[in-house]
Amino acid sequence: MPMGLYALALGAFAIGLTEFGIVGLLPQVANEFHVSEQVAGYLVSGYALSVAVGAIVLTAIMTRYERRITLIMLMALFILGNLTSAIAENYSILMLGRIIAALCHGAFFSIGAVVAAGMVHTNKQAAAISIMFLGLTVSNVMGVPVGTFLGLKFGWRSTFWVLAIIGIITMFGIRLLVPVITVDNKSNLKNEFRVFKSPQVWISIFISIFTFGGVIGGFTYIAFILTKVSQFQTSSVPWLLVLFGFGTFIGNIIGGKMADKALNKSIAILLTFLAIVLAIFALTAENQTMTVISLFLMGSVGLAIAPGLQLRIMRYAPDAPTAASGANIAAFNIGNALGAWFGGITLNAGFGFTSPLWAGVVLSLTGLIILSIGVKLNTNKPSYY
């Protein structure tokens, strides 16, 4: 695989760390700026909403520029956002820094996915995309513990300084290792948004929303399941979450290879397995051994679908893959919000701590149904099915 893919993976790692690393620092931020825990939490939700906006708008605007230059500009935006956060004198400036950094998130992944796919042969495109997403999965493993460690040891600002440094390294890595990829001079904003007239693009978007809603629906409340149902000690939760992260690491690689062989079929198989794993987890959560196995499989199967979902929407929008890719990144984040919301409803309704897992089953099966509809609507029967 081309070395440029690993430069993209480093950028994905830095961006993922920016998203998740703040979680363990919220108490320090709340104390310094004298805000409530709820207000401090807006630094997370505000970031997610900004990702969804940037994934569509910024991607579409920048799609007319040469890809490598675009990625370098996005990393410059990432560096600016984290430097702003590192020197923030009040909560509002910190939020501004988070928003600036978040705007590059979706555009980097959407344009980066197109670049990664363009660097290899057609039969290795999903695998190439999975290498870029590998950085994100590693940040899922390391994000909260690394961010928390730095914050506790050197103060919460140190995390943002480190992120800015990683951003600079990534920027130079992209400049040196990613080839120049020209774009069609006829590309414009109107043409990019024209892809949303395609039913298959919308089907891909909704599959992504319900797939990630299914994964996050259960994962958002996993600490309650581990401590209240499985009876693990609270001190064990971080290590168990690392296990989930390692599952995402492995699943991302396997999923990319599966998607290259049979795109729609691999997504269908993985969605089916995701629903099964979540159901087994819900039924056996009182058994600690089964909980450990289910948690690992939940991460493996859930994130294994990501490369295929990204490649699917790009292939159904060959004239504007970057806009479609950006929409898919936005769909991931909308799915995250949907899953957390739906899981919270089941908890508030009194269905028990494992009910978010059942919510995940419902969302995953909904994604599978939408995929089936998409396959039936596709009269051309593309060869990658």
Side-chain angles (χ1 to χ4, degrees), residues 105-341:
H105 182 129
F108 183 88
F109 278 107
S110 56
I111 295 173
V114 175
V115 171
M119 292 169 66
V120 298
H121 294 297
T122 304
N123 63 344
K124 293 184 178 180
Q125 287 182 332
I129 293 173
S130 73
I131 289 178
M132 186 191 73
F133 274 87
L134 198 61
L136 182 61
T137 59
V138 171
S139 72
N140 287 338
V141 179
M142 301 174 61
V144 174
V146 168
T148 303
F149 172 79
L150 288 173
L152 293 175
K153 193 74 174 178
F154 305 106
W156 64 266
R157 296 175 189 273
S158 65
T159 300
F160 294 103
W161 284 112
V162 169
L163 286 166
I165 292 172
I166 296 175
I168 293 172
I169 295 172
T170 300
M171 190 163 60
F172 280 103
I174 291 172
R175 175 63 179 81
L176 295 173
L177 300 175
V178 173
V180 173
I181 301 177
T182 58
V183 296
D184 186 354
N185 290 330
K186 295 180 181 179
S187 177
N188 58 57
L189 199 60
K190 183 178 180 180
N191 288 337
E192 287 292 319
F193 280 105
R194 191 175 294 165
V195 302
F196 296 109
K197 294 181 179 180
S198 168
Q200 289 295 340
V201 167
W202 282 105
I203 285 171
S204 295
I205 288 172
F206 282 109
I207 294 170
S208 294
I209 289 174
F210 285 101
T211 297
F212 274 78
V215 177
I216 301 303
F219 185 69
T220 300
Y221 305 96
I222 198 67
F224 295 102
I225 298 170
L226 296 176
T227 56
K228 303 295 184 180
V229 182
S230 303
Q231 298 298 314
F232 282 104
Q233 295 295 318
T234 303
S235 59
S236 301
V237 173
W239 299 106
L240 291 167
L241 296 184
V242 168
L243 180 65
F244 174 89
F246 276 118
T248 68
F249 182 88
I250 295 172
N252 186 63
I253 297 174
I254 295 174
K257 293 181 178 180
M258 289 179 63
D260 277 328
K261 292 181 179 179
L263 184 53
N264 285 325
K265 186 178 293 184
S266 70
I267 296 173
I269 291 172
L270 290 170
L271 273 171
T272 302
F273 272 110
L274 177 59
I276 293 172
V277 167
L278 291 172
I280 292 175
F281 195 173
L283 292 171
T284 63
E286 293 182 358
N287 184 300
Q288 291 188 345
T289 301
M290 286 301 299
T291 293
V292 169
I293 295 172
S294 297
L295 190 60
F296 177 79
L297 291 176
M298 182 178 167
S300 301
V301 179
L303 269 293
I305 312 175
L309 291 173
Q310 194 73 9
L311 185 59
R312 186 184 196 276
I313 196 169
M314 287 164 56
R315 284 190 171 173
Y316 278 111
D319 295 331
T322 47
S325 182
N328 200 49
I329 298 297
F332 286 167
N333 284 273
I334 293 170
N336 292 348
L338 172 66
W341 173 76

